[in-house]
């Protein structure tokens, strides 16, 4: 396992890390015992960073993860969770107020069975962009609340997450220097889209660590294809499906190529998060990340994706 420093945080994270959204049954129903075992398998095999959110499964992911973490020594992992995006009874909600952000951190710690959060993130800030106050509210209200928790030692570091890297850049630019210590961006450093690389210099200049997520681009880069709810266009889904079929013909699953690409092609990205509640899949992804990548196949796959490379979609 390779470990990289996250910006100026002092945290050294495994280059492949575990996203716990699957523990909330976000993609399909899970067996809780299997999900707990998946967390243990990840830690036992060198992964030392886990990311979760109260939004995933509307608190279920944090609850299941908390059961797993109860049995794991606290010095074996770094933990990140989020504020701002929630849900109950199948209804999504958003609240980026200082009061709710502060309450949310303490609620998450209770569900997670921990007394300290290594990284607290403002979740999917683009949703606040369309609410009263816009992104300025993140700068003026949400982040200061989290910085206060950092000052008190309740959390270690403060970050922001979003699908749109432009929003992440805007908040870093408008917040006081040192407020944002890390960013988490997803689906923009994968086989079909490396937009995130255009922003790495900016984040480095500001001492902000970079976390990548969703190397399979939310299922686009998978043998079974993107789920029905995927927001990508039909043309993009079709192109990625052709690429996946080509990889199967070559005996090289596109999942393997995608994980290898996201974890090995740019050392300026600290870690890449994947999500699975299946212990066997966790082991398989760790193995993929440790094996050499077929760079020729990368070029062939990207040629198949063709004009759908860098095609974007809106968060949902």
């Amino acid at each position: 396992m390779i470990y990289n420093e996250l910006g100026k945080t002092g945290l050294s994270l495994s280059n492949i890390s575990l996203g716990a959204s699957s523990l909330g049954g976000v993609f399909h129903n899970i067996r809780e015992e299997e999900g707990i075992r998946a967390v243990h398998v990840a830690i036992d095999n060198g992964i030392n960073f886990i990311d979760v959110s109260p939004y995933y499964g509307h608190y279920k992911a944090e609850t299941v993860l908390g059961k797993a973490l109860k049995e794991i020594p606290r010095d074996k992992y770094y933990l990140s969770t989020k504020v701002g995006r929630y849900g109950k009874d199948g209804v999504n909600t958003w609240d980026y107020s200082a009061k709710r952000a502060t309450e949310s951190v303490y609620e998450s710690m209770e569900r997670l069975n921990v007394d300290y959060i290594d990284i607290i993130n403002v979740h999917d800030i683009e949703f606040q962009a369309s609410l009263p106050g816009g992104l300025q509210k993140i700068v003026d209200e949400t982040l200061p609340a989290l910085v206060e928790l950092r000052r008190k030692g309740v959390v270690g570091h403060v970050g922001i997450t979003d699908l749109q890297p432009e929003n992440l850049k805007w908040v870093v630019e408008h917040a006081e220097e040192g407020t944002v210590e890390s960013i988490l961006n997803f689906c923009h450093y994968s086989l079909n889209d490396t937009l995130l690389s255009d922003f790495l210099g900016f984040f480095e200049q500001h001492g902000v660590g970079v976390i990548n997520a969703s190397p399979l681009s939310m299922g686009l880069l998978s043998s079974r294809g993107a789920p029905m709810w995927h927001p990508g266009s039909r043309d993009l889904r079709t192109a990625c499906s052709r690429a996946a079929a080509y990889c199967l013909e070559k005996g090289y699953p596109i999942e393997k190529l995608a994980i290898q690409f996201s974890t090995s092609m740019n050392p300026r990205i600290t870690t890449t998060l994947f999500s699975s509640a299946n212990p066997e899949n966790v082991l398989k992804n760790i193995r993929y990340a440790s094996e050499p990548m077929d760079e020729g196949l990368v070029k062939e796959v990207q040629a198949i994706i063709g004009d759908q490379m860098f095609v974007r979609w809106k968060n949902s």
Side-chain angles (χ1 to χ4, degrees), residues 5-242:
E5 295 292 319
L6 180 66
K8 296 181 178 180
T9 64
L11 305 182
S12 183
L13 308 184
S14 49
N15 71 320
I16 184 168
S17 299
L18 184 65
S21 57
S22 290
L23 298 182
V26 171
F27 306 109
H28 51 76
N29 291 331
I30 68 156
R31 294 200 301 274
E32 188 173 297
E33 299 79 9
E34 188 175 65
I36 290 171
R37 190 156 55 89
V39 176
H40 284 262
V41 166
I43 299 298
D44 290 345
N45 286 274
I47 284 177
N48 73 345
F49 179 53
I50 305 171
D51 174 76
V52 70
S53 166
Y55 171 69
Y56 300 147
H58 294 174
Y59 308 108
K60 181 180 178 181
E62 285 191 330
T63 301
V64 175
L65 179 58
K67 293 177 182 179
L69 295 181
K70 247 199 283 196
E71 305 166 358
I72 301 173
R74 188 63 179 87
D75 62 356
K76 291 288 187 181
Y77 62 89
Y78 297 115
L79 178 64
S80 119
T81 191
K82 307 180 182 78
V83 303
R85 195 172 184 189
Y86 312 99
K88 187 178 180 182
D89 299 327
V91 178
N92 296 334
T93 60
W94 294 265
D95 187 341
Y96 295 90
S97 67
K99 181 177 182 293
R100 185 69 189 104
T102 302
E103 292 171 347
S104 181
V105 171
Y106 288 104
E107 291 168 4
S108 288
M109 288 195 297
E110 186 172 347
R111 284 189 291 268
L112 290 163
N113 290 303
V114 297
D115 58 8
Y116 176 80
I117 302 291
D118 296 285
I119 305 174
I120 189 67
N121 289 298
V122 187
H123 196 178
D124 286 348
I125 59 175
E126 69 181 85
F127 289 100
Q128 175 54 40
S130 61
L131 295 173
L135 288 177
Q136 191 64 45
K137 181 170 181 174
I138 302 292
V139 174
D140 293 341
E141 187 170 344
T142 323
L143 286 171
L146 300 183
V147 167
E148 177 61 16
L149 292 177
R150 183 175 67 187
R151 187 191 67 77
K152 291 178 177 178
V154 176
V155 303
H157 306 281
V158 173
I160 53 178
T161 87
D162 203 19
L163 173 64
Q164 316 298 346
E166 294 88 350
N167 289 337
L168 299 170
K169 180 176 183 286
W170 191 95
V171 169
V172 171
E173 282 178 322
H174 289 80
E176 184 177 342
E177 194 77 11
T179 296
V180 178
E181 297 174 88
S182 66
I183 64 96
L184 189 162
N185 182 240
F186 55 102
C187 298
H188 287 310
Y189 199 81
S190 54
L191 275 171
N192 62 301
D193 188 337
T194 57
L195 177 66
L196 179 58
S197 60
D198 293 345
F199 294 80
L200 295 178
F202 169 83
F203 293 129
E204 282 181 348
Q205 288 172 8
H206 291 269
V208 175
V210 175
I211 298 168
N212 177 44
S214 197
L216 305 188
S217 206
M218 297 187 344
L220 274 177
L221 304 170
S222 66
S223 301
R224 65 184 176 189
M228 291 299 296
W229 49 260
H230 197 288
S233 69
R234 180 183 299 178
D235 287 346
L236 175 60
R237 293 159 65 104
T238 300
C240 289
S241 180
R242 285 199 303 266

Side-chain angles (χ1 to χ4, degrees), residues 245-264:
Y246 180 78
C247 286
L248 280 181
E249 289 174 10
K250 294 286 186 178
Y252 201 117
I254 196 168
E255 293 91 342
K256 177 178 181 178
L257 193 67
I259 294 242
Q260 291 175 329
F261 181 88
S262 293
T263 58
S264 67

